[in-house]
Structures are given as C-alpha cells and as structure tokens.
Amino acid sequence: MPAMPVHNADIARVFGQIADLLEIEGANPFRVRAYRNAARELEMLGVPAAGMLARGEDLRELPGIGDDLAAKIAEIVATGSCKALEKLRQELPPTITQLLEIPHLGPRRVRALHERLGVQTLEQLAEAARGGRIRALAGFGPKTEEAILEALAQHAAAPARLERVIAAQYAEPLRAVLAEVPGVREAVIAGSFRRARETVGDIDILVSAGAAAPVMDRFVHYEEVGEVLAAGDTRATVVLKCGLQVDLRVVAPESHGAALLYFTGAKAHNIALRRIAQSRGLKLSEYGLFRGARRTAGATEASVYRALGLPWIAPELREDRGEIEAARAGKLPRLVERADLRGDLHVHTRASDGHDTLRAMADAARAAGLEYIAITEHSRRLTVAHGLDPERLRRQMAEIDALNAELEGITLLKGIEVDILEDGRLDLPDEVLADCDLVVGAVHSAFDLPRAKQTRRILRALENPRLSILAHPTNRVIGTRAACDVDMLRVVRQARERGCFLELNAQPGRLDLLDTHCRLAREEGVLVAIGSDAHGVRDYANLDWGIGQARRGWLGAADVLNTRTLAQLRRLLAKGRR
Ligand code: DGT
Ligand code: CA
Ligand code: CA
C-alpha cells in the first residue's frame, strides 16, 4: 500500500508521464492520446478515483477509461506506481520528460536530442546548446538553438507554480478539515487561489476562531503534511507530501475581514489600500482598520472597503490594475457569474474525440442549466482526433436536426471546430461551413511560427465570413506549451471589424484567452465566448474555471456571448456573416 492516499492528480501525473514517454518513443498517437485523455479526465473528476474503487464502483464507466486504463488506475491506487511507467523508464531516462517543458521542443525533437547527442537533462541541453552542437542537427538550426537557450533561461527564472485546478484537489480537503475543528467560525482559501489566478505559488488558508491552538495542532498533524517549515501560535507553514506549500493564519473573528483582505492580496492591491487608509488618518493591517488604538472596521471585507470610501471589490480584480480607481468612480463591472451562462459554444461528442453521444451531451448540458450548446467536432485535418470530413459533418447535421425535433429544454447548434491551416485557410470547404450554425476556428499545428507569419495566418482565417469564433486564441497550455507569438491587438480589432468573437477556452489547463486579453476584448468591444471544450458529460464543470478567468479579465455578463438568449445569439451570428 502507498503511504498516503493516492489523489486523482497523482494518477493523472503518472498517465501524463506515460504519454510523454510514449510520444518521445514515437508510439501510436492514438495510444498517447488515450493516456492524455484519461489524465485530463482524472484531473477534472469531482470524486477521488481511489474512493470509487474502495466503494467497488466501476471505473470503466468514466469517459475514456477502458479495461486497460481502469486496471492501471487500480494498480496505481494500490501500489502508488505503475509497471508500464517503470518499463518505459528503463527504455528512456525519466528526466527526459523535463525537456518537453521547454518551448520549441516537441517529442520528435526530444528524441533526436537524446538519440544523437545523448541529452537527458536540462543541464545537458544547455551544455549542448552553448557548445553549438544543436544547430548541427537536421531539423534544428542556429535560430532554434538560440530559442532553446532563451527558453532555458526563462525556465530557470520562473519559480514552480501549480495549476489552480490541481491545487484545489489538495487545498479544498484541507480547508474542510480545518473548518471542522471545534471553535472554528470560518476557514477560507485566500491568496492567489481566491483571486482565481490560473496557477498558484502556494496555498494560503485563513481561519477565524476563538482559540488558535486546536487549529494549529490539527494543521501540523494533517495526514498529508510532509514537513513543517514553521509553527507559531497563530501562523504555520507546511509542505504537503505532494510538494505544495501551505500557509495558515488563525485570527479572531473581529479581524476576519481585514485578515481575509490582507491574505487575499495581491500585495500591490493591499499596498494601495493601506495608502488610502493613511491619507484618511487610519492604519490598515491584517487585524483591522484603526484610528489610533480604536478599531473602526475589520470583521468583514466590506466593512473595511466601506470605511475607505469604496464598494467591496471582487477578489479576481484585486491586482492593482485600475480596480481601485474604477471602484471609486462607481465603474466596477458587475462580473459575469456561472448562472449568467445560457449556453456553451464548444462541445465534442464521440463523433470526433469526445467520449459521449450527442444525446448524452445534450442531456448533461440541460442538467448543467444550459439552454443551448454548439456541437463542434474537430475537422478532417486533425486525424488523431478522428476529425470530420464534409460527408461525416453533414451526417451529424442530420442527426442534430432529428434530435432537436425530439428534445425539449435544450437546443443543439450545428457547429464545427475547423482547423486553421498554416496559411490561414480553413480545413473544410466554404459551402459546408456555410451550412453550419456557427464555425469555431482553431490552430492545432505550427504553433511556433514567427510573429508576423502567425498573425497573418490568424487574420486571414478571420477574414473568412463563415468563421464565427476563434477558439483558444493563444494556444498556450499552462505549464506545457507557450502561447503562440501573435499580435493580439490586431486579432481583436479584426474580430470586431468582421463581427466575430473570441473564445475563452475554459479547460482549466488552457484558460485561453488570458485575463489581460479578455480585458482587451472588452475594451475593444469584442464579445467573448466562454467554451467548455467538453469532451464528456462531466466537462461542463470546466465552465466554472472559465468564469474565474473571465472575471479576472473584468468581463460582465454583457461582455460574454453565451449569456445571450438563443434568439439573440442567432442574430449576432448572422450579423457576422453578412
Ligand atoms: P502566489 O502564492 O505566488 O500564487 O501569490 P499570492 O498572492 O498568494 O502570494 P503569497 O502567498 O506570497 O501571499 C499571500 C497574500 O499575502 C498576498 O496576496 C498578499 C499578502 N502579502 C504577502 N506578503 C505581503 C507583503 O509584504 N505586504 C503586503 N501588504 N501583503 C503581503
Ligand atoms: Ca499564495
Ligand atoms: Ca503564501
């Protein structure tokens, strides 16, 4: 038995490593994808797979999990590791997957570096680049070598951050444990997590309680604590066995609001508030807002803001990016909420690389409170995803018509996620695209074109009047793939000219548009479509993560395309096609 409970994120990591190693070995892309899909499925799964197994539930009911993967999950839960991974590690050095974290290095290049130069580690990669040995390899060249050196420097400078969705799997259970300690009024995850940053450096938990000692005691003895770095009367820092650091502060209930404000940050927002306090002859600290020795506010965040002459500011905005000025002027946006979403404009089914049927996806969407969804399979170019050619697309359109005639309370739109080819043309003929209710265009290849070329490619795609939405516009994958180098201002302006929209892809590993781009789109008057990119019935939950990012980007309900009624949406789509 492994010493500690195996989390879904741990299983996902094993599958991710298997996929990486298989890919470097040049294995069948379908096999690689099966592991990746399973990893993603596990990361998103709301309940621990270990618990499902303990209750005797059948993991094969999860999307993308067949006999083989179900057996592997059971193996990982039981033993903490997986023979398939160990075998791959004998064939390839385990450190080699680190190389994939460097932009410009895909599996094929990593294999070449390993086979021809014996490169296994980032250090060896740097050495080879500095020695000018990489440029000599076929398919690399001096420019790539330079880019690798630059990427290595950036990689070294950036501290390790964890995706928010993964941090949540460790932080939420811990928070719940602390909330159960007798005497605790509230336990809140603060810091960058509460501000909905896409990644977090560490977790900050604030507890308000009459007495701190029982909370501190429970915290340092939590089953998953690997190391206690510091433990005082009201604050402590631990590192969990998974490597995630957690800071805890315990305060008295009358300080809760001031402390929550302080530990939510961001630091720059805190400093700006403190200055306002000073200008009013007040002192702001994590214990409250004080005039001399008298506390004038602090039990709630709103009480502190109010005493500073401000309305409450949502955590997602607290980055000192103009939110205080906007608050003072009464111009804070009413940020979009999950309940504002009426539809989802990016959904896959079994017809391409999704796991569930059209009908199942429709039923799940209705259960998730949605009124419409656009079915947007991949197009033929994306063979690994079983992309649709015109004939299969037409067949699906007929199926959708038939299902719409039957279903109540949910409408399916006929869409496609069409590949944007390297020259900016779309992967399907215009006459087929014209028959779709909406066309989502996406880049799935040639991510590292130089800026001018990449920008030209996207602009050309946007020129096509059939294109309705540009999917995941930067194509970054958090912690894995850098954003494409593209002139986003020109893209946003072209979208406005053309009357089309930009997607905020809500997969928690993508969250693409970035928050700053959402804000740009808002300022330029381009609506953002929050799309789940669902590949299974549970994936509508992605929308919550997308909402967090949208809120960080200052988007209100009016700034989001899929808050519109179906009739309004149809009008907006038609307008863009004129
Ligand atoms: P992270 O952990 O890197 O994702 O980002 P945060 O924002 O969670 O930063 P962290 O964990 O270092 O600190 C949590 C909060 O505590 C931070 O958002 C604001 C507050 N804080 C930390 N250090 C300072 C400081 O020196 N001055 C002020 N005013 N606030 C601070
Ligand atoms: Ca933090
Ligand atoms: Ca911290």
Side-chain angles (χ1 to χ4, degrees):
M1 279 293 282
M4 61 175 192
V6 173
H7 290 278
N8 293 348
D10 302 319
I11 308 169
R13 194 157 10 153
V14 171
F15 284 176
Q17 283 165 350
I18 292 178
D20 285 346
L21 289 168
L22 282 174
E23 216 171 359
I24 294 169
E25 277 198 342
N28 178 338
F30 288 99
R31 234 180 116 207
V32 174
R33 219 176 158 84
Y35 280 105
R36 291 228 191 280
N37 287 341
R40 191 177 52 194
E41 199 51 50
L42 284 158
E43 279 176 0
M44 300 318 136
L45 190 63
V47 291
M52 290 178 68
L53 282 171
R55 289 191 298 276
E57 291 171 34
D58 190 351
L59 295 179
R60 289 173 305 182
E61 277 166 21
L62 298 174
I65 309 290
D67 291 343
D68 177 53
L69 289 172
K72 288 207 169 68
I73 293 172
E75 182 190 357
I76 297 165
V77 167
T79 68
S81 72
C82 173
K83 289 219 173 63
L85 178 59
E86 282 157 27
K87 181 163 167 283
L88 281 164
R89 281 180 167 165
Q90 279 160 14
E91 293 160 12
L92 284 168
T95 49
I96 204 160
T97 53
Q98 292 175 352
L99 302 182
L100 290 173
E101 288 168 22
I102 303 300
H104 315 288
L105 291 188
R108 217 171 303 156
R109 280 182 163 169
V110 168
R111 184 171 40 183
L113 288 164
H114 178 236
E115 279 175 2
R116 316 244 293 277
L117 299 177
V119 169
Q120 302 188 5
T121 65
L122 293 175
E123 292 70 35
Q124 291 169 332
L125 179 68
E127 243 176 64
R130 279 195 298 269
R133 283 181 287 137
I134 291 179
R135 66 181 65 197
L137 292 181
F140 284 81
K143 271 220 180 108
T144 307
E145 187 175 79
E146 215 171 285
I148 289 174
L149 271 175
E150 200 174 301
L152 277 168
Q154 278 182 11
H155 188 84
R161 300 184 63 86
L162 195 63
E163 271 173 59
R164 181 163 178 259
V165 65
I166 296 176
Q169 290 189 25
Y170 298 98
E172 293 286 2
L174 172 52
R175 189 205 64 79
V177 162
L178 296 176
E180 290 299 305
V181 175
V184 167
R185 291 271 194 93
E186 247 183 294
V188 188
I189 305 176
S192 53
F193 187 93
R194 183 165 178 245
R195 302 199 310 278
R197 275 197 66 177
E198 55 202 32
T199 61
V200 300
D202 71 359
I203 289 292
D204 306 279
I205 299 182
L206 176 73
V207 171
S208 43
V215 185
M216 305 306 290
D217 187 61
R218 186 68 191 89
F219 182 63
V220 298
H221 293 109
Y222 181 56
E223 297 69 19
E224 293 194 32
V225 167
E227 192 184 349
V228 179
L229 295 185
D233 294 337
T234 61
R235 64 175 82 188
T237 299
V238 302
V239 181
L240 300 183
K241 287 172 186 163
C242 66
L244 182 62
Q245 186 168 315
V246 185
D247 287 339
L248 172 69
R249 278 297 286 269
V250 185
V251 296
E254 63 265 29
S255 294
H256 179 75
L260 185 55
L261 197 54
Y262 182 89
F263 290 110
T264 298
K267 190 169 158 180
H269 180 88
N270 289 353
I271 291 170
L273 289 184
R274 206 174 309 153
R275 281 217 192 91
I276 297 174
Q278 277 162 4
S279 73
R280 296 179 165 225
L282 300 164
K283 190 171 169 292
L284 178 61
S285 75
E286 61 260 56
Y287 301 105
L289 186 65
F290 295 89
R291 184 174 300 281
R294 190 171 66 86
R295 187 202 312 267
T296 63
T300 65
E301 285 188 333
S303 74
V304 176
Y305 279 115
R306 202 179 319 120
L308 298 177
L310 297 170
W312 181 79
I313 299 175
E316 296 91 338
L317 299 180
R318 299 180 195 169
E319 296 286 348
D320 195 24
R321 294 180 184 162
E323 70 278 9
I324 292 174
E325 293 77 356
R328 199 180 280 132
K331 290 194 170 139
L332 282 178
R334 188 192 76 69
L335 298 178
V336 63
E337 293 170 9
R338 172 61 179 82
D340 294 324
L341 297 184
R342 291 172 184 270
D344 185 348
L345 302 177
H346 192 155
V347 174
H348 296 269
T349 79
R350 259 184 210 172
S352 62
D353 62 345
H355 315 299
D356 292 308
T357 63
L358 211 48
R359 182 185 294 270
M361 292 308 287
D363 289 343
R366 192 177 34 206
L370 301 174
E371 297 165 23
Y372 55 85
I373 53 172
I375 303 299
T376 53
E377 310 289 9
H378 290 290
S379 64
R380 59 188 171 190
R381 228 302 280 281
L382 212 56
T383 47
V384 288
H386 201 43
L388 269 55
D389 59 16
E391 198 192 315
R392 288 177 56 217
L393 176 56
R394 294 225 186 262
R395 224 180 301 144
Q396 189 184 56
M397 288 179 180
E399 268 178 68
I400 290 176
D401 283 336
L403 205 53
N404 273 335
E406 180 191 327
L407 290 176
E408 287 189 18
I410 183 89
T411 302
L412 305 182
L413 296 171
K414 289 174 271 187
I416 182 79
E417 179 181 5
V418 66
D419 256 49
I420 297 174
L421 305 179
E422 198 168 328
D423 61 5
R425 282 177 307 122
L426 303 180
D427 181 35
L428 291 171
D430 284 347
E431 51 287 8
V432 191
L433 298 178
D435 287 344
C436 293
D437 293 317
L438 95 175
V439 172
V440 176
V443 163
H444 290 116
S445 61
F447 298 115
D448 52 4
L449 293 182
R451 186 177 181 85
K453 247 185 164 168
Q454 194 70 275
T455 304
R456 214 177 314 130
R457 172 193 197 183
I458 304 297
L459 294 181
R460 180 158 179 215
L462 289 176
E463 275 167 22
N464 188 327
R466 281 126 210 124
L467 189 92
S468 330
I469 298 174
L470 178 65
H472 39 76
T474 80
N475 293 295
R476 68 87 180 261
V477 177
I478 299 172
T480 304
R481 186 168 71 215
C484 288
D485 194 2
V486 55
D487 186 340
M488 198 51 79
L489 181 59
R490 286 185 67 193
V491 169
V492 170
R493 293 199 165 144
Q494 168 98 348
R496 188 187 52 203
E497 289 300 299
R498 243 298 326 282
C500 55
F501 311 99
L502 300 181
E503 178 183 80
L504 192 187
N505 189 289
Q507 285 190 358
R510 280 195 186 258
L511 297 177
D512 174 13
L513 293 177
L514 312 193
D515 51 2
T516 48
H517 294 147
C518 288
R519 204 161 162 191
L520 178 66
R522 175 178 201 257
E523 280 160 10
E524 295 286 327
V526 173
L527 299 188
V528 172
I530 302 177
S532 71
D533 202 349
H535 284 70
V537 291
R538 296 163 201 255
D539 293 350
Y540 295 113
N542 289 353
L543 292 171
D544 288 322
W545 302 96
I547 288 285
Q549 181 88 331
R551 291 168 64 90
R552 285 184 60 80
W554 289 55
L555 299 188
D559 303 315
V560 175
L561 179 63
N562 42 323
T563 60
R564 301 297 195 273
T565 64
L566 183 55
Q568 289 169 332
L569 173 74
R570 286 196 196 275
R571 274 198 294 281
L572 284 167
L573 291 171
K575 219 163 122 192
R577 288 188 162 192
R578 274 210 307 266

